């Protein structure tokens, strides 16, 4: 076996790939060969490291030096200085640090408060090499389960771990498996929800891109527990890298006898297939997903009966999302008690979040349940750009709610979030600063819901449309106080009457913003002003005479010819012509243009 003195790990996740990481990897291999050290240094393609804001990322071991925002022109220096001469290229390290303790991944603050369980192998192994997964104890849990445990013991272990579904609702995973095991039928199915449609969410995609075998192994364990021999991974076609790596992983698992007939020499057999989704948000709902796998239009079905009794093709079926499955092998390797001791009493383990919006460290984080929002935003996320104030965080996407600044010390777990009118969701976390309009945020998510509604039930099909119309009136300054009351009443009605979970949670962004930011709704209605200066219909751009130098730059960049005046005299903006595009305020060097 070839032994290398250095390993160069290059992020091959979607974010870094879009920033040219594949060509960087090729250039590294070429330069390493050119310097005749290709028998000493190995370049490895990995999944996402998590710190997406700093990609493309290259990490060199054994030093653990993390190079960020690497460009093609940096490759020669990395090879000649670090890999040949042993000198770390400090200018490429995160924040250009000079202290030796900060040259390692372990010294990066972004990772200090994280506990990586579901993401344990992402950024550590080549996801297209099954041997690397096996070297990290891959398929050891499946071997242990098949050789030493009964299906009942498997389910008891999952129950004891306290693992709850990471797809949003937080239903106890072991209980779901137990329902399916007790359902009597000659055919049962195991499904994986990799549809992940929330705006800004990329947790499941990253796990499949960086560690697909963990999901395959977990699904096989689940199949053994409930008595199934067939599984399906439902993944959206917009995830080409994840789909490709999952296909490779399934084929490799078959070649190694880890899928198929008589796995590990036992009488247990399990096969796995991929089904591509067309990107319909509603297919994230379990019954709609199963209907889509069956080849029908993806629409929810009434429950009960629940899928554990009558699911895919009316057979007992369990459905968990990617992150839920990614936790399963570790629970059997380290024990249910070990997992239970992480997090909180009612929310054990960790949660992966895709953190985005107005935050410095955009990326993928995995934190123990109970970690506060403040720790995520400031200790892990690096705070708000440009010294702005934190205003709110949206969890759960279109199904979730906003957490206001006064509740920033709320622990992130299932029950705490529900108490304050939000929800965990699948793991999207969008941070907003003082320049965010909460009415506009509610409108944004409702526009998404209206567009993605399957249209099957009137509360969702019609009710959300009426809600959006009211929000549109308010953001244009045409709303009334009665409209705010109607909006709230309609939201509560839809929440209790929609057919599926997606329709029932669609009003959440509106209800949570009304709860904590009602004064902003009132300002839009009574004062005809948007406090954050976001809603265009309520804005006016004005030139402050005392500050204007009459340079004419603003008039030259105005696409509507709305700005006029004489050189060296204050200019003026014609409000009837103004498009409110902001081009003038961006170009003004004297701060003479303001939004009101």
């Amino acid at each position: 076996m070839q032994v290398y003195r250095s390993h160069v790990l290059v992020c091959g996740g979607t974010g870094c790939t879009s920033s040219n990481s594949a060509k960087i990897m090729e250039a590294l291999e070429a330069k390493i060969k050119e310097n005749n050290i290709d028998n000493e240094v190995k370049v490895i393609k990995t999944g996402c490291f998590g710190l997406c804001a700093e990609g493309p990322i290259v990490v060199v071991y054994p030093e653990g030096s993390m190079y960020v925002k690497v460009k093609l022109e940096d490759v020669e220096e990395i090879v000649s200085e670090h890999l040949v001469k042993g000198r770390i290229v400090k200018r490429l390290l995160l924040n250009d640090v000079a202290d030796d303790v900060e040259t390692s991944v372990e010294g990066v603050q972004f990772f200090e408060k994280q506990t990586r369980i579901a993401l344990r192998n992402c950024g550590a192994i080549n996801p297209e090499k099954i041997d690397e997964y096996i070297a990290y104890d891959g398929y050891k849990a499946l071997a242990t389960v098949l050789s030493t445990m009964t299906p009942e013991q498997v389910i008891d272990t999952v129950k004891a771990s306290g693992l709850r579904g990471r797809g949003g609702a937080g239903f106890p995973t072991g209980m779901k498996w137990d329902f399916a095991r007790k359902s009597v039928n000659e055919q049962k199915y195991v499904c994986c929800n990799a549809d992940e449609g929330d705006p800004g969410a990329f947790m499941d995609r990253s796990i499949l891109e960086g560690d697909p075998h963990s999901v395959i192994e977990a699904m096989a364990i689940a199949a053994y527990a409930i008595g199934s021999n067939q599984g399906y991974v439902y993944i959206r076609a917009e995830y080409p890298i994840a789909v490709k790596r999952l296909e490779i992983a399934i084929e490799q698992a078959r070649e190694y006898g880890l899928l198929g007939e008589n796995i590990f020499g036992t009488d247990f057999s399990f096969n796995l297939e991929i089904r591509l989704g067309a990107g319909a948000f509603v297919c994230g709902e379990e019954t709609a997903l199963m209907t889509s796998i069956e080849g029908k239009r993806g629409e929810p079905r009434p429950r009960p009966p629940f899928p554990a009794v009558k699911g895919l093709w009316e057979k007992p079926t369990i459905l968990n999302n990617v992150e839920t499955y990614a936790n399963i092998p570790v629970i059997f390797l380290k024990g249910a008690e070990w997992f239970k001791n992480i997090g909180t009493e009612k929310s054990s383990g960790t949660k992966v979040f895709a953190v985005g919006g107005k935050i410095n460290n955009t990326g993928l984080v995995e934190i123990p349940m109970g970690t506060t929002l403040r720790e995520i935003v400031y200790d892990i996320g690096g705070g708000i750009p440009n010294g702005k104030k934190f205003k709110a965080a949206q969890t759960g996407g279109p199904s979730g709610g906003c957490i206001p600044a006064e509740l920033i010390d709320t622990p992130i777990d299932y029950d705490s979030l529900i108490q304050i009118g939000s929800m965990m969701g699948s793991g999207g976390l969008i941070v907003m600063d003082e320049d965010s309009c909460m009415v506009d945020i509610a409108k944004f998510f409702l526009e998404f819901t209206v567009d993605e509604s399957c249209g099957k039930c009137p509360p969702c099909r019609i009710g959300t449309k009426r809600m959006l119309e009211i929000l549109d009136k308010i953001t244009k300054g045409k709303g009334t106080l009665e409209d705010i009351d109607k909006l709230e009443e309609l939201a509560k009605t839809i929440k209790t009457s929609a057919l599926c979970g997606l329709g029932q949670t669609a009003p959440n962004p509106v209800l949570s913003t009304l709860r904590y930011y009602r004064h902003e709704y009132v300002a839009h209605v009574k004062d005809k002003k948007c406090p954050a200066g976001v809603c265009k219909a309520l804005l006016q751009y004005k030139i402050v005479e005392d500050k204007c130098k009459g340079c004419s730059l603003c008039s030259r960049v105005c696409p509507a010819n709305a700005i006029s005046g004489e050189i060296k005299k204050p200019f003026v903006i014609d409000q009837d012509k103004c498009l409110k595009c902001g081009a003038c305020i961006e170009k003004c060097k004297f701060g003479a243009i303001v939004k009101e």
Side-chain angles (χ1 to χ4, degrees), residues 196-203 353-356 363-364 397 427-430 444-445:
E196 193 173 49
D198 286 5
F202 51 94
M203 304 78 57
F353 286 97
V355 182
L364 207 61
L429 195 155
I430 300 174
F444 167 79
F445 282 113

Side-chain angles (χ1 to χ4, degrees), residues 309-326:
V309 176
K310 188 178 287 189
L312 192 59
W313 288 295
E314 299 191 350
K315 306 294 184 183
T317 305
I318 59 169
L319 174 73
N320 293 111
N321 81 327
V322 170
E323 186 186 341
T324 308
Y325 282 124

Side-chain angles (χ1 to χ4, degrees), residues 98-143:
D99 190 343
D100 285 344
V101 76
E102 295 291 345
T103 63
S104 167
V105 171
E106 286 71 25
V108 176
Q109 184 181 354
F110 178 77
F111 297 105
E112 285 182 354
K113 290 197 172 183
Q114 294 193 48
T115 301
R116 292 167 75 87
I117 298 176
L119 299 178
R120 63 194 176 278
N121 293 329
C122 293
I125 65 171
N126 185 337
E128 297 180 14
K129 303 285 185 185
I130 190 173
D131 290 339
E132 294 198 18
Y133 179 69
I134 291 172
Y136 277 70
D137 290 333
Y139 292 104
K140 185 177 179 181
L142 178 61

Side-chain angles (χ1 to χ4, degrees), residues 398-400 442 445-446 449-450 460 464 467 491 494-495 500-511:
S399 302
F445 282 113
L446 206 59
T449 304
V450 168
C460 184
T464 56
M467 285 179 67
I494 294 168
K495 192 173 179 66
C500 77
L502 295 182
Q504 292 159 11
T505 56
N508 283 352
V510 171
L511 288 171

Side-chain angles (χ1 to χ4, degrees), residues 28-197:
L28 280 165
E29 290 174 330
K31 282 293 176 186
I32 287 168
K33 189 171 184 180
E34 187 180 302
N35 283 271
N36 296 315
I37 55 171
D38 49 313
N39 61 336
E40 302 173 41
V41 180
K42 178 71 172 176
V43 180
I44 299 170
K45 175 172 59 179
T46 73
C48 178
F49 290 102
L51 195 50
C52 304
E54 301 294 335
I57 292 176
V58 175
V59 180
V60 180
Y61 285 104
E63 298 86 354
S65 302
M66 175 178 274
Y67 295 131
V68 299
K69 295 181 178 175
V70 178
K71 300 181 178 64
L72 273 171
E73 51 265 36
D74 298 323
V75 169
E76 185 170 358
E77 187 177 0
I78 293 173
V79 175
S80 63
E81 288 296 304
H82 191 154
L83 299 176
V84 174
K85 299 174 185 175
R87 296 194 293 228
I88 292 171
V89 185
K90 291 185 177 179
R91 72 173 183 85
L92 293 175
L93 295 172
L94 187 63
N95 298 327
D96 200 20
V97 290
D99 190 343
D100 285 344
V101 76
E102 295 291 345
T103 63
S104 167
V105 171
E106 286 71 25
V108 176
Q109 184 181 354
F110 178 77
F111 297 105
E112 285 182 354
K113 290 197 172 183
Q114 294 193 48
T115 301
R116 292 167 75 87
I117 298 176
L119 299 178
R120 63 194 176 278
N121 293 329
C122 293
I125 65 171
N126 185 337
E128 297 180 14
K129 303 285 185 185
I130 190 173
D131 290 339
E132 294 198 18
Y133 179 69
I134 291 172
Y136 277 70
D137 290 333
Y139 292 104
K140 185 177 179 181
L142 178 61
T144 301
V145 163
L146 294 183
S147 60
T148 66
M149 301 178 75
T150 65
E152 291 80 9
Q153 288 173 327
V154 171
I155 290 173
D156 287 343
T157 299
V158 177
K159 282 183 177 178
S161 73
L163 176 66
R164 296 171 67 171
R166 299 305 196 241
F171 191 82
T173 304
M175 191 179 297
K176 180 184 286 189
W177 290 15
D178 196 27
F179 289 152
R181 182 185 67 83
K182 290 175 179 176
S183 294
V184 179
N185 203 292
E186 75 285 354
Q187 180 64 60
K188 299 179 183 181
Y189 296 105
V190 172
C191 292
C192 174
N193 182 353
D195 192 56
E196 193 173 49

Side-chain angles (χ1 to χ4, degrees), residues 220-379:
I221 291 170
Y224 174 72
I226 73 165
S228 169
N229 63 2
Q230 180 65 49
Y232 294 93
V233 179
Y234 187 87
I235 180 170
R236 54 182 47 219
E238 291 98 325
Y239 285 178
I241 295 176
V243 171
K244 177 190 171 188
R245 290 181 185 164
L246 186 59
E247 287 173 342
I248 291 171
I250 289 173
E251 187 57 37
Q252 289 176 343
R254 285 199 185 106
E255 290 174 4
Y256 276 54
L258 300 167
L259 284 176
E261 305 299 313
N262 306 115
I263 298 171
F264 284 115
T266 67
D267 59 1
F268 171 67
S269 301
F270 180 63
N271 288 291
L272 193 58
E273 295 179 29
I274 297 173
R275 289 291 184 270
L276 297 181
F281 180 66
V282 72
C283 287
E285 195 276 338
E286 59 179 3
T287 61
L289 183 151
M290 293 175 195
T291 305
S292 182
I293 290 178
E294 293 170 0
K296 303 168 188 172
R297 177 184 170 90
E299 291 181 334
R301 300 191 285 238
R303 296 177 305 174
F306 290 94
V309 176
K310 188 178 287 189
L312 192 59
W313 288 295
E314 299 191 350
K315 306 294 184 183
T317 305
I318 59 169
L319 174 73
N320 293 111
N321 81 327
V322 170
E323 186 186 341
T324 308
Y325 282 124
N327 283 283
I328 293 294
V330 189
I331 289 171
F332 287 93
L333 289 174
K334 296 192 175 184
E337 193 63 29
W338 171 85
F339 188 85
K340 183 76 174 175
N341 286 333
I342 299 170
T344 66
E345 183 181 353
K346 294 183 179 179
S347 300
S348 57
T350 59
K351 181 72 189 80
V352 180
F353 286 97
V355 182
K358 303 293 183 67
I359 193 162
N360 284 309
N361 295 336
T362 301
L364 207 61
V365 305
E366 184 172 3
I367 47 96
M369 293 280 195
T371 301
T372 65
L373 179 59
R374 183 186 298 276
E375 290 175 285
I376 297 174
V377 172
Y378 289 100
D379 297 342

